[in-house]
Amino acid sequence: MKDTTLVMGASENVQRYSNMAIRKLVNHNHKVKAFGIRGGEVSDIPIEKLPIHCEEIDTVTLYLNPTKQKPYYDYILSLKPRRVIFNPGTENPELQTLLKKNGIAFEEACTLVMLSTNQY
């Protein structure tokens, strides 16, 4: 069963929203994988520097601006997630079109708010 969230654009910087999202996902007992440019660790979750293929990804939550997303389009599609969340500032019509064509749901939302309001 797919039940893992992949945080793309993860950062060890506690002031970054991706870091807050990882911590909040862990606190809500979600399985988390993280990918970021610099690597590192947040709440015992390793931040991978290279995208890794994982069969159990349910949700991809994006913290990369649209320009930085482009090299990862094929990667995101290959994961076949149930959904992709475009956090504020990551909205990307080009990627959204590709997701639609591949039958992957997406929403423009804030992972932190979704978790806080039990809508995740």
Side-chain angles (χ1 to χ4, degrees), residues 30-68:
H30 290 279
K31 292 182 187 173
V32 180
K33 298 227 181 249
F35 166 72
I37 305 299
R38 292 179 184 82
E41 188 176 286
V42 176
S43 293
D44 295 326
I45 304 296
I47 300 173
E48 304 292 337
K49 287 171 65 173
L50 296 173
I52 53 171
H53 190 74
C54 199
E55 296 290 324
E56 74 262 6
I57 299 299
D58 174 75
T59 301
V60 173
T61 184
L62 294 171
Y63 290 93
L64 295 170
N65 73 46
T67 304
K68 291 185 179 176

Side-chain angles (χ1 to χ4, degrees), residues 70-105:
K70 196 168 185 91
Y72 302 108
Y73 287 179
D74 289 338
Y75 170 66
I76 293 167
L77 295 174
S78 77
L79 295 172
K80 297 182 171 116
R82 178 177 60 87
R83 67 178 172 175
V84 174
I85 298 172
F86 291 86
N87 286 280
T90 68
E91 300 86 351
N92 183 343
E94 183 177 45
L95 178 53
Q96 290 171 345
T97 298
L98 289 171
L99 293 170
K100 238 185 250 181
K101 286 181 183 174
N102 284 274
I104 299 170

